[in-house]
Amino acid sequence: MKPTVSHRFHPSTRVRLTAWYAALLVLVLFALGASVDTLARNRLMADVDHRLQSTAEDIGSGIESNLASWPFSSEAVRFEDIVPTLGSFASRGQLIQITSPNGEVVRSSEYAPGEPIVAVSGQPSGEPQIVSTELAGDQARAVHFPVTVTDRDGVRWYIGAVIVGERLTTMHETLASLRQVLLVTSTLGLALALAGGWVLAGRALRPVDRVTRASRIDLRRTS
């Protein structure tokens, strides 16, 4: 009766070394890709916020300049009368709204919604507020930039606000392209590194294989 021989796969030292090397490399590439993606996202978001605030400040400065040179009379100054033309600012691909002190939109750029993009409850503190929001179902960022004037007594009055919004579609497309590049380059790099690791592991283990073969030959001769 012949003994039953069980055939099991026992990975060689070369295979195990290459597998460990591959696992470690995958972790490194994943951490690197996540870091690059996070840094790129934060940088792009910071650029969007900077553009929004820059546009709002430019419009606010125009309002203050018009207000300073306005020929005051017995009639009350309407906020919409001192708002500069928004066409040059809207050409930046941003949606602009001018709101009165009660939050009503008194002027807006083309394609801007009728309701305020950023709703602020109560009287603003005077500091710009940048928030994440949605525009027609798309993710967006918007800034609420209060416009204030100071009277002769040093009292600061809130006269309205400039709201500037921008969709994040371009930013998301840029991030998607970056992720595709990272995926392709990481895959190619992993394949090349595995091939190189397999060759290097074979060379490193070659002396061990020679000793093993020599031991087997000696055992056969003595048996």
Side-chain angles (χ1 to χ4, degrees), residues 64-86:
E64 293 176 358
S65 176
N66 291 341
L67 184 61
S69 59
W70 185 266
F72 291 96
S73 62
S74 57
E75 296 182 1
V77 178
R78 296 188 307 169
F79 187 47
E80 53 267 36
D81 292 335
I82 59 176
V83 175
T85 304
L86 301 179

mmCIF file of all heavy atoms in Angstrom, residues 64-86:
data_model
loop_
_atom_site.group_PDB
_atom_site.id
_atom_site.type_symbol
_atom_site.label_atom_id
_atom_site.label_comp_id
_atom_site.label_asym_id
_atom_site.label_seq_id
_atom_site.Cartn_x
_atom_site.Cartn_y
_atom_site.Cartn_z
ATOM 1 N N GLU A 64 -17.737 101.611 -1.933
ATOM 2 C CA GLU A 64 -17.286 102.635 -0.997
ATOM 3 C C GLU A 64 -16.809 103.886 -1.740
ATOM 4 O O GLU A 64 -17.030 105.021 -1.296
ATOM 5 C CB GLU A 64 -16.178 102.082 -0.113
ATOM 6 C CG GLU A 64 -16.648 100.975 0.839
ATOM 7 C CD GLU A 64 -15.511 100.375 1.636
ATOM 8 O OE1 GLU A 64 -14.349 100.798 1.407
ATOM 9 O OE2 GLU A 64 -15.775 99.493 2.475
ATOM 10 N N SER A 65 -16.140 103.689 -2.887
ATOM 11 C CA SER A 65 -15.669 104.830 -3.680
ATOM 12 C C SER A 65 -16.849 105.615 -4.233
ATOM 13 O O SER A 65 -16.854 106.866 -4.199
ATOM 14 C CB SER A 65 -14.773 104.339 -4.815
ATOM 15 O OG SER A 65 -14.375 105.408 -5.642
ATOM 16 N N ASN A 66 -17.863 104.939 -4.754
ATOM 17 C CA ASN A 66 -19.048 105.626 -5.268
ATOM 18 C C ASN A 66 -19.805 106.344 -4.161
ATOM 19 O O ASN A 66 -20.345 107.436 -4.359
ATOM 20 C CB ASN A 66 -19.968 104.630 -5.963
ATOM 21 C CG ASN A 66 -19.376 104.096 -7.255
ATOM 22 O OD1 ASN A 66 -18.466 104.691 -7.831
ATOM 23 N ND2 ASN A 66 -19.886 102.954 -7.713
ATOM 24 N N LEU A 67 -19.823 105.717 -2.999
ATOM 25 C CA LEU A 67 -20.533 106.334 -1.876
ATOM 26 C C LEU A 67 -19.820 107.601 -1.410
ATOM 27 O O LEU A 67 -20.470 108.600 -1.044
ATOM 28 C CB LEU A 67 -20.638 105.339 -0.724
ATOM 29 C CG LEU A 67 -21.441 105.781 0.496
ATOM 30 C CD1 LEU A 67 -22.887 106.068 0.118
ATOM 31 C CD2 LEU A 67 -21.390 104.723 1.586
ATOM 32 N N ALA A 68 -18.486 107.584 -1.443
ATOM 33 C CA ALA A 68 -17.742 108.750 -0.984
ATOM 34 C C ALA A 68 -17.927 109.943 -1.922
ATOM 35 O O ALA A 68 -17.894 111.100 -1.487
ATOM 36 C CB ALA A 68 -16.260 108.401 -0.871
ATOM 37 N N SER A 69 -18.112 109.677 -3.221
ATOM 38 C CA SER A 69 -18.258 110.758 -4.198
ATOM 39 C C SER A 69 -19.721 111.028 -4.560
ATOM 40 O O SER A 69 -19.991 111.779 -5.495
ATOM 41 C CB SER A 69 -17.480 110.408 -5.475
ATOM 42 O OG SER A 69 -17.961 109.186 -6.043
ATOM 43 N N TRP A 70 -20.635 110.427 -3.814
ATOM 44 C CA TRP A 70 -22.059 110.583 -4.156
ATOM 45 C C TRP A 70 -22.536 111.980 -3.745
ATOM 46 O O TRP A 70 -22.271 112.434 -2.625
ATOM 47 C CB TRP A 70 -22.877 109.520 -3.446
ATOM 48 C CG TRP A 70 -24.328 109.517 -3.831
ATOM 49 C CD1 TRP A 70 -25.347 110.154 -3.200
ATOM 50 C CD2 TRP A 70 -24.909 108.859 -4.948
ATOM 51 N NE1 TRP A 70 -26.523 109.940 -3.844
ATOM 52 C CE2 TRP A 70 -26.289 109.141 -4.923
ATOM 53 C CE3 TRP A 70 -24.395 108.071 -5.971
ATOM 54 C CZ2 TRP A 70 -27.170 108.654 -5.892
ATOM 55 C CZ3 TRP A 70 -25.263 107.575 -6.938
ATOM 56 C CH2 TRP A 70 -26.628 107.870 -6.886
ATOM 57 N N PRO A 71 -23.265 112.708 -4.649
ATOM 58 C CA PRO A 71 -23.794 114.034 -4.293
ATOM 59 C C PRO A 71 -25.045 113.895 -3.424
ATOM 60 O O PRO A 71 -26.168 113.773 -3.922
ATOM 61 C CB PRO A 71 -24.118 114.651 -5.659
ATOM 62 C CG PRO A 71 -24.391 113.482 -6.549
ATOM 63 C CD PRO A 71 -23.507 112.368 -6.065
ATOM 64 N N PHE A 72 -24.859 113.871 -2.125
ATOM 65 C CA PHE A 72 -25.973 113.645 -1.209
ATOM 66 C C PHE A 72 -26.994 114.781 -1.318
ATOM 67 O O PHE A 72 -26.654 115.944 -1.481
ATOM 68 C CB PHE A 72 -25.459 113.560 0.237
ATOM 69 C CG PHE A 72 -24.653 112.318 0.482
ATOM 70 C CD1 PHE A 72 -23.269 112.354 0.392
ATOM 71 C CD2 PHE A 72 -25.278 111.121 0.776
ATOM 72 C CE1 PHE A 72 -22.530 111.215 0.609
ATOM 73 C CE2 PHE A 72 -24.537 109.976 0.987
ATOM 74 C CZ PHE A 72 -23.155 110.022 0.905
ATOM 75 N N SER A 73 -28.251 114.431 -1.218
ATOM 76 C CA SER A 73 -29.362 115.381 -1.236
ATOM 77 C C SER A 73 -30.364 114.976 -0.178
ATOM 78 O O SER A 73 -30.065 114.178 0.705
ATOM 79 C CB SER A 73 -30.002 115.424 -2.633
ATOM 80 O OG SER A 73 -30.533 114.142 -2.951
ATOM 81 N N SER A 74 -31.511 115.483 -0.297
ATOM 82 C CA SER A 74 -32.546 115.149 0.689
ATOM 83 C C SER A 74 -33.053 113.725 0.521
ATOM 84 O O SER A 74 -33.634 113.146 1.441
ATOM 85 C CB SER A 74 -33.720 116.140 0.577
ATOM 86 O OG SER A 74 -34.240 116.110 -0.750
ATOM 87 N N GLU A 75 -32.838 113.157 -0.677
ATOM 88 C CA GLU A 75 -33.294 111.795 -0.912
ATOM 89 C C GLU A 75 -32.299 110.794 -0.316
ATOM 90 O O GLU A 75 -31.092 111.011 -0.342
ATOM 91 C CB GLU A 75 -33.444 111.528 -2.412
ATOM 92 C CG GLU A 75 -34.519 112.383 -3.083
ATOM 93 C CD GLU A 75 -34.664 112.039 -4.548
ATOM 94 O OE1 GLU A 75 -33.920 111.124 -4.992
ATOM 95 O OE2 GLU A 75 -35.488 112.649 -5.231
ATOM 96 N N ALA A 76 -32.847 109.694 0.192
ATOM 97 C CA ALA A 76 -31.994 108.649 0.766
ATOM 98 C C ALA A 76 -31.225 107.942 -0.360
ATOM 99 O O ALA A 76 -31.725 107.759 -1.471
ATOM 100 C CB ALA A 76 -32.844 107.646 1.527
ATOM 101 N N VAL A 77 -30.022 107.583 -0.053
ATOM 102 C CA VAL A 77 -29.185 106.887 -1.037
ATOM 103 C C VAL A 77 -29.622 105.429 -1.122
ATOM 104 O O VAL A 77 -29.697 104.732 -0.109
ATOM 105 C CB VAL A 77 -27.698 106.973 -0.644
ATOM 106 C CG1 VAL A 77 -26.851 106.206 -1.645
ATOM 107 C CG2 VAL A 77 -27.256 108.413 -0.568
ATOM 108 N N ARG A 78 -29.927 105.012 -2.335
ATOM 109 C CA ARG A 78 -30.280 103.606 -2.528
ATOM 110 C C ARG A 78 -29.003 102.814 -2.797
ATOM 111 O O ARG A 78 -28.168 103.226 -3.594
ATOM 112 C CB ARG A 78 -31.259 103.442 -3.687
ATOM 113 C CG ARG A 78 -32.600 104.097 -3.475
ATOM 114 C CD ARG A 78 -33.561 103.722 -4.586
ATOM 115 N NE ARG A 78 -33.000 103.986 -5.915
ATOM 116 C CZ ARG A 78 -33.547 103.549 -7.043
ATOM 117 N NH1 ARG A 78 -34.650 102.819 -7.013
ATOM 118 N NH2 ARG A 78 -32.977 103.827 -8.212
ATOM 119 N N PHE A 79 -28.899 101.678 -2.134
ATOM 120 C CA PHE A 79 -27.681 100.885 -2.234
ATOM 121 C C PHE A 79 -27.417 100.458 -3.671
ATOM 122 O O PHE A 79 -26.277 100.459 -4.140
ATOM 123 C CB PHE A 79 -27.789 99.671 -1.315
ATOM 124 C CG PHE A 79 -26.520 98.878 -1.204
ATOM 125 C CD1 PHE A 79 -25.308 99.496 -0.986
ATOM 126 C CD2 PHE A 79 -26.519 97.496 -1.330
ATOM 127 C CE1 PHE A 79 -24.125 98.776 -0.876
ATOM 128 C CE2 PHE A 79 -25.353 96.765 -1.227
ATOM 129 C CZ PHE A 79 -24.150 97.414 -1.001
ATOM 130 N N GLU A 80 -28.470 100.121 -4.415
ATOM 131 C CA GLU A 80 -28.289 99.646 -5.782
ATOM 132 C C GLU A 80 -27.768 100.732 -6.710
ATOM 133 O O GLU A 80 -27.213 100.447 -7.778
ATOM 134 C CB GLU A 80 -29.596 99.066 -6.337
ATOM 135 C CG GLU A 80 -30.799 99.994 -6.220
ATOM 136 C CD GLU A 80 -31.597 99.759 -4.952
ATOM 137 O OE1 GLU A 80 -30.985 99.451 -3.919
ATOM 138 O OE2 GLU A 80 -32.828 99.886 -5.015
ATOM 139 N N ASP A 81 -27.929 102.022 -6.309
ATOM 140 C CA ASP A 81 -27.450 103.111 -7.154
ATOM 141 C C ASP A 81 -25.939 103.310 -7.067
ATOM 142 O O ASP A 81 -25.347 103.949 -7.958
ATOM 143 C CB ASP A 81 -28.144 104.421 -6.758
ATOM 144 C CG ASP A 81 -29.628 104.406 -7.104
ATOM 145 O OD1 ASP A 81 -30.009 103.648 -8.027
ATOM 146 O OD2 ASP A 81 -30.400 105.134 -6.462
ATOM 147 N N ILE A 82 -25.323 102.813 -6.041
ATOM 148 C CA ILE A 82 -23.879 103.009 -5.877
ATOM 149 C C ILE A 82 -23.093 101.735 -6.165
ATOM 150 O O ILE A 82 -21.900 101.664 -5.927
ATOM 151 C CB ILE A 82 -23.550 103.509 -4.452
ATOM 152 C CG1 ILE A 82 -24.049 102.505 -3.412
ATOM 153 C CG2 ILE A 82 -24.137 104.880 -4.199
ATOM 154 C CD1 ILE A 82 -23.677 102.882 -1.989
ATOM 155 N N VAL A 83 -23.787 100.715 -6.681
ATOM 156 C CA VAL A 83 -23.112 99.458 -7.005
ATOM 157 C C VAL A 83 -22.441 99.583 -8.364
ATOM 158 O O VAL A 83 -23.068 100.018 -9.332
ATOM 159 C CB VAL A 83 -24.123 98.294 -7.012
ATOM 160 C CG1 VAL A 83 -23.451 97.002 -7.473
ATOM 161 C CG2 VAL A 83 -24.718 98.103 -5.627
ATOM 162 N N PRO A 84 -21.175 99.238 -8.489
ATOM 163 C CA PRO A 84 -20.498 99.302 -9.791
ATOM 164 C C PRO A 84 -21.030 98.250 -10.748
ATOM 165 O O PRO A 84 -21.720 97.306 -10.351
ATOM 166 C CB PRO A 84 -19.030 99.056 -9.440
ATOM 167 C CG PRO A 84 -19.071 98.247 -8.185
ATOM 168 C CD PRO A 84 -20.275 98.755 -7.424
ATOM 169 N N THR A 85 -20.694 98.404 -12.018
ATOM 170 C CA THR A 85 -21.122 97.435 -13.024
ATOM 171 C C THR A 85 -20.483 96.073 -12.732
ATOM 172 O O THR A 85 -19.285 95.978 -12.458
ATOM 173 C CB THR A 85 -20.702 97.910 -14.427
ATOM 174 O OG1 THR A 85 -21.244 99.201 -14.658
ATOM 175 C CG2 THR A 85 -21.201 96.948 -15.489
ATOM 176 N N LEU A 86 -21.303 95.027 -12.805
ATOM 177 C CA LEU A 86 -20.827 93.692 -12.427
ATOM 178 C C LEU A 86 -20.338 92.873 -13.609
ATOM 179 O O LEU A 86 -19.850 91.764 -13.428
ATOM 180 C CB LEU A 86 -21.958 92.920 -11.721
ATOM 181 C CG LEU A 86 -22.524 93.557 -10.451
ATOM 182 C CD1 LEU A 86 -23.646 92.691 -9.881
ATOM 183 C CD2 LEU A 86 -21.436 93.744 -9.412
#
